[in-house]
Amino acid sequence: MESMKSPFKGIIKDVRGRTACYKDDWVSGLCSGLRILAPTFYIFFASALPVIAFGEQLSRDTDGSLSTVETLASTAICGIIHSILGGQPLLILGVAEPTVIMYTYLYNFSKGREELGQKLFLAWAGWVCVWTALLLVLLAICNAATIIFKFTRIAGELFGMLISVLFIQEAVRGVVSEFNIPKDESSKLEKYQFQWRYANGLLSVIFSLGVLFTALKSRRARSWRYGTGWIRGFIADYGVPLMVVLWTALSYVRPSEVPSGVPRRVHVPLLSDAESVHHWTVIKFRSLQTAGFISSAVGLLLLRDMGKVPLTYIFAALIPAVMIAGLYFFDHSVASQMAQQKEFNLKNPSAYHYDVLLLGFMTLICGLLGLPPSNGVLPQSPMHTKSLAVLRRQLIRKKMVKSAKECIGQKASNSEIYGRMHAVFLEMDAPSPDVSVHMELENLKQAVMKSDDEEDAKKKFDPEKHIDAYLPVRVNEQRMSNLIQSILVGVSMCALPLIKRIPTSVLWGYFAYMAIDSLPGNQFWERMLLLFITPSRRYKVLEGVHASFVEVVPFKQIAIFTIFQFFYLLICFGVTWIPIAGILFPLPFFLLIGIRQRILPKLFQPNHLQELDADEYEEIAGAPARSRSLSLMEREPLDVDSEKSEDDFYDAEILDEMTTNRGELKLRTQSFKEDRLHQARNTYPL
């Protein structure tokens, strides 16, 4: 309530903070040179593929009223606007699954009303966007972004799990539909005869499972034993789009006797088609003389189609707008929060309030253009930050190693070597010395100084081999990569003839991939798996890397908390199945704030609840395991005698270990109680 007494305070603070570093955002991007293209193309493919898949889903759910053309256009327009005017340029925008769900509900409601119908669906959705934009602007003015921190891990992971379930549901529905005749199609066509429908269905199973399996394998390429670091990194970064291309190419390897419609392919209207042109004519204005509540002497400019929507439905649009505004506010702010986690050590300030304000204006623009709005997306936003962290580490590492080698060549003392490296780090990363910087480089200093005591020359500090273990995470904060990738998304609309060649079954496999790939790192999912481990085998969990709550919270409390989340997930999923009221599916997540604040503290001890609903993803290294520490500050230097090459410490591989699949940075410590392993063995013998 205090924040509402000072309207515009958050926006003004955000604008002042980001204005001070706006010039540096562009200079940093330009100074990166061609190196900026690697993270740019990486995030472009990570953004474009889901948008294409969501476009096909929208096309099916809205009977072609919206398609991939609109999802690509919205993502490009909003991405360009945000990269130039946005407060947090690391935030990636795109059409997401919640938007698809909401627009499906809007379409079903509109189609069932004679006053609206399919013809005025986009016009009515435009009014929904107008109300949504107004609500988002009000939220920004009232400093509502301060409450985003009340959405704790329990809400974020429940929402992520719901989206995963909906992805799986869409994948299954898609594969099943491949065995049936599409709506409004003639059963007399050869490709819809039973034998070809059955063949099409079997091919869809093969292609969807093929994409799922190969995409998951390529996603983890950096941990492969084979190939150089560059090859493994390339496959890990671009393997998923490559698998889509591969399975699309395989779909053309078929006998000539097979009808052209087998397998079925994505339906995308070209930019020149009437289906696409309709959207760009929505914003023609005309002057209408209004009566009643506005003087007839005043001419009001209304949109051509939006002016035809009955007044009752214009005000009724406020109901779904409340849900969509809340959903966008939550989704956008969480994505922004994930993109600027404190472990990334970003120097520039956040801009939550201003970004919500800008989101309101972008939602209005999309609504008037007949496009589904875009908002901040996961995991693309933290993936973008992580890719820029790799770039920044490479630049800093290169200069620090060069300066250290020069000192070694001059036979300088270890204190002089460290002093030179420290100066280079400050020159590249901070305008003036800071206490936190000295603390971050303390382990590096100790490693350099310790080598004075080593009699064996092989164990002396080698900057080329040892520095990776002590470099703190740094991010190249700039706007160029977001701007370029957004432009590429827009340019990809010119590739619609190629997109039309993708089999729909490949997209169903991609939906399944997005669902399964998002599960690792979700503690709700990990606790569900923990429930299925028999008591006699639970010590195995302590042997490997495990979440901190495993050692702190009693198993009974873990089970109760997990079962509560599971039933709450069922409630949220059940709401999505309600024909019209399903649009209220974000409501349970807002109610969860009160449940978390008022009810759960009465059921769980404070320290147990803090562990189960922690702000950070904290892991504990298993007692017997000697795995790499995910905290760069805690890494032990690499033994020079080891035959492992520098590729083993490839920057992207290190950051892959440090982050979950949803982009959340991990904190790993040693076991709180290493004797817990022995206790578990004695308590639960084999």
Side-chain angles (χ1 to χ4, degrees):
M1 295 300 294
E2 287 293 328
S3 60
M4 293 186 179
K5 296 180 181 179
S6 305
F8 294 100
K9 180 181 179 181
I11 297 174
I12 294 172
K13 181 181 178 181
D14 290 345
V15 171
R16 287 176 177 172
R18 294 305 307 194
T19 301
C21 56
Y22 187 78
K23 180 180 177 181
D24 291 337
D25 286 342
W26 293 107
V27 172
S28 297
L30 293 173
C31 291
S32 300
L34 295 178
R35 284 176 173 266
I36 201 67
L37 295 180
T40 298
F41 280 105
Y42 168 67
I43 204 62
F44 160 67
F45 286 114
S47 298
L49 271 180
V51 170
I52 293 172
F54 294 145
E56 176 63 17
Q57 182 182 354
L58 263 178
S59 179
R60 293 164 60 90
D61 293 343
T62 63
D63 296 328
S65 297
L66 292 169
S67 66
T68 302
V69 176
E70 288 73 41
T71 55
L72 287 172
S74 172
T75 301
I77 292 172
C78 294
I80 292 173
I81 293 174
H82 184 81
S83 63
I84 298 174
L85 302 176
Q88 180 48 264
L90 301 178
L91 179 64
I92 300 296
L93 271 64
V95 176
E97 179 68 11
T99 300
V100 176
I101 297 171
M102 285 298 191
Y103 262 68
T104 301
Y105 287 128
L106 295 180
Y107 176 75
N108 291 332
F109 177 85
S110 179
K111 185 175 64 173
R113 302 295 182 278
E114 292 184 5
E115 301 88 341
L116 298 175
Q118 184 176 2
K119 184 178 180 181
L120 291 180
F121 155 59
L122 291 177
W124 186 61
W127 282 112
V128 174
C129 289
V130 170
W131 286 113
T132 302
L134 178 61
L135 293 172
L136 288 171
V137 170
L138 289 176
L139 286 171
I141 292 174
C142 296
N143 309 310
T146 54
I147 71 170
I148 192 61
F149 298 101
K150 293 186 181 295
F151 286 97
T152 55
R153 176 178 294 276
I154 185 175
E157 293 190 336
L158 266 173
F159 187 76
M161 185 65 76
L162 176 63
I163 297 301
S164 296
V165 172
L166 293 174
F167 280 157
I168 290 291
Q169 175 183 269
E170 186 62 26
V172 173
R173 283 173 50 189
V175 172
V176 171
S177 68
E178 298 288 341
F179 289 88
N180 303 322
I181 301 175
K183 189 189 303 182
D184 300 328
E185 293 286 348
S186 173
S187 59
K188 296 180 180 180
L189 295 175
E190 182 183 10
K191 60 182 178 180
Y192 297 134
Q193 297 299 313
F194 173 77
Q195 64 273 23
W196 293 122
R197 278 194 288 121
Y198 191 72
N200 181 78
L202 291 179
L203 284 175
S204 71
V205 173
I206 295 172
F207 289 155
S208 57
L209 291 178
V211 170
L212 172 62
F213 178 77
T214 54
L216 289 173
K217 284 293 184 181
S218 63
R219 175 78 166 79
R220 294 161 177 76
R222 285 196 179 91
S223 62
W224 291 357
R225 299 179 179 179
Y226 310 104
T228 63
W230 183 87
I231 293 176
R232 288 184 280 115
F234 180 81
I235 295 175
D237 290 341
Y238 305 106
V240 177
L242 285 175
M243 293 306 105
V244 172
V245 172
L246 172 64
W247 287 96
T248 299
L250 289 175
S251 70
Y252 283 93
V253 181
R254 55 186 176 82
S256 57
E257 293 81 3
V258 177
S260 60
V262 179
R264 297 172 193 171
R265 304 189 185 276
V266 174
H267 172 72
V268 183
L270 301 179
L271 293 177
S272 57
D273 292 348
E275 296 176 65
S276 298
V277 174
H278 168 71
H279 295 280
W280 315 118
T281 61
V282 167
I283 63 169
K284 286 183 178 178
F285 293 93
R286 64 188 178 96
S287 179
L288 294 179
Q289 296 297 323
T290 61
F293 61 95
I294 296 181
S295 172
S296 59
V298 180
L300 179 64
L301 291 178
L302 291 176
L303 298 179
R304 185 188 63 182
D305 289 339
M306 292 176 68
K308 299 177 182 178
V309 177
L311 189 62
T312 304
Y313 288 99
I314 291 176
F315 286 103
L318 178 61
I319 298 174
V322 171
M323 292 295 105
I324 296 176
L327 183 63
Y328 281 3
F329 172 75
F330 169 74
D331 213 11
H332 195 75
S333 299
V334 170
S336 181
Q337 194 177 28
M338 294 288 288
Q340 48 192 330
Q341 300 167 62
K342 66 178 183 179
E343 288 82 9
F344 279 130
N345 299 317
L346 301 184
K347 294 187 295 182
N348 296 336
S350 61
Y352 292 109
H353 308 280
Y354 171 73
D355 279 343
V356 172
L357 176 70
L358 184 62
L359 176 63
F361 286 112
M362 290 188 293
T363 300
L364 178 63
I365 292 172
C366 289
L368 299 182
L369 289 174
L371 303 175
S374 295
N375 64 281
V377 290
L378 291 171
Q380 291 91 329
S381 296
M383 285 169 61
H384 182 217
T385 307
K386 186 178 76 171
S387 66
L388 293 171
V390 172
L391 173 62
R392 187 66 173 169
R393 276 176 55 85
Q394 290 172 342
L395 294 174
I396 295 176
R397 181 187 186 282
K398 182 179 180 181
K399 287 199 173 184
M400 289 183 70
V401 169
K402 181 180 178 181
S403 65
K405 285 186 173 181
E406 289 176 355
C407 290
I408 293 174
Q410 297 170 3
K411 297 184 178 180
S413 65
N414 285 345
S415 60
E416 291 175 332
I417 294 174
Y418 171 74
R420 186 74 172 272
M421 296 171 71
H422 183 268
V424 170
F425 184 86
L426 288 176
E427 177 187 352
M428 295 193 66
D429 188 69
S432 59
D434 186 76
V435 177
S436 63
V437 174
H438 288 285
M439 292 177 62
E440 288 178 315
L441 295 180
E442 182 62 27
N443 284 10
L444 174 62
K445 180 179 180 180
Q446 292 179 6
V448 175
M449 297 304 182
K450 183 180 178 182
S451 61
D452 273 336
D453 304 328
E454 300 289 349
E455 298 180 359
D456 190 350
K458 291 184 179 181
K459 294 187 178 181
K460 286 187 177 295
F461 181 81
D462 185 337
E464 188 73 40
K465 296 180 179 179
H466 296 163
I467 195 172
D468 289 293
Y470 304 103
L471 274 183
V473 176
R474 285 295 183 269
V475 177
N476 187 21
E477 300 179 61
Q478 43 72 49
R479 296 178 181 268
M480 288 299 298
S481 58
N482 200 347
L483 176 61
I484 296 174
Q485 75 89 18
S486 299
I487 293 174
L488 289 175
V489 171
V491 172
S492 64
M493 289 193 293
C494 299
L496 291 177
L498 296 177
I499 294 175
K500 294 181 68 169
R501 296 178 179 273
I502 301 176
T504 53
S505 53
V506 168
L507 294 185
W508 311 144
Y510 184 71
F511 271 109
Y513 160 75
M514 287 192 292
I516 295 176
D517 188 61
S518 65
L519 296 179
N522 187 319
Q523 289 190 355
F524 175 29
W525 170 253
E526 293 173 354
R527 280 187 274 105
M528 288 179 63
L529 296 180
L530 185 62
L531 297 183
F532 291 95
I533 299 178
T534 58
S536 62
R537 305 291 290 176
R538 283 180 197 152
Y539 74 88
K540 288 286 186 180
V541 177
L542 298 176
E543 286 185 345
V545 177
H546 53 276
S548 59
F549 62 79
V550 175
E551 293 194 8
V552 177
V553 184
F555 181 80
K556 182 179 179 180
Q557 297 295 305
I558 295 175
I560 294 174
F561 189 83
T562 305
I563 293 172
F564 163 75
Q565 274 190 291
F566 178 74
F567 279 104
Y568 206 88
L569 174 66
L570 292 181
I571 292 173
C572 297
F573 181 65
V575 172
T576 64
W577 278 79
I578 303 175
I580 295 178
I583 201 168
L584 300 175
F585 85 91
L587 187 59
F589 294 98
F590 304 139
L591 296 177
L592 194 58
I593 295 179
I595 295 174
R596 172 62 178 85
Q597 298 292 326
R598 303 290 182 182
I599 299 177
L600 292 185
K602 297 178 180 179
L603 302 178
F604 299 92
Q605 294 182 19
N607 60 324
H608 293 166
L609 187 58
Q610 179 61 34
E611 285 292 331
L612 294 169
D613 194 29
D615 293 332
E616 298 171 333
Y617 189 102
E618 186 173 355
E619 285 188 336
I620 299 176
R626 293 182 57 84
S627 58
R628 295 179 186 173
S629 173
L630 296 183
S631 172
L632 294 178
M633 304 302 298
E634 296 174 358
R635 287 183 177 271
E636 295 183 0
L638 179 67
D639 188 355
V640 181
D641 294 333
S642 174
E643 296 180 357
K644 293 182 179 179
S645 67
E646 182 183 356
D647 288 336
D648 289 334
F649 284 92
Y650 181 63
D651 287 330
E653 186 174 356
I654 294 173
L655 285 172
D656 265 2
E657 290 183 349
M658 292 175 60
T659 54
T660 66
N661 285 20
R662 66 192 295 258
E664 186 177 10
L665 278 167
K666 303 175 182 177
L667 298 177
R668 181 176 294 180
T669 60
Q670 295 300 316
S671 177
F672 298 150
K673 307 171 184 177
E674 293 193 4
D675 60 327
R676 285 290 296 271
L677 175 63
H678 305 293
Q679 293 176 9
R681 285 182 180 275
N682 295 332
T683 306
Y684 307 116
L686 286 174

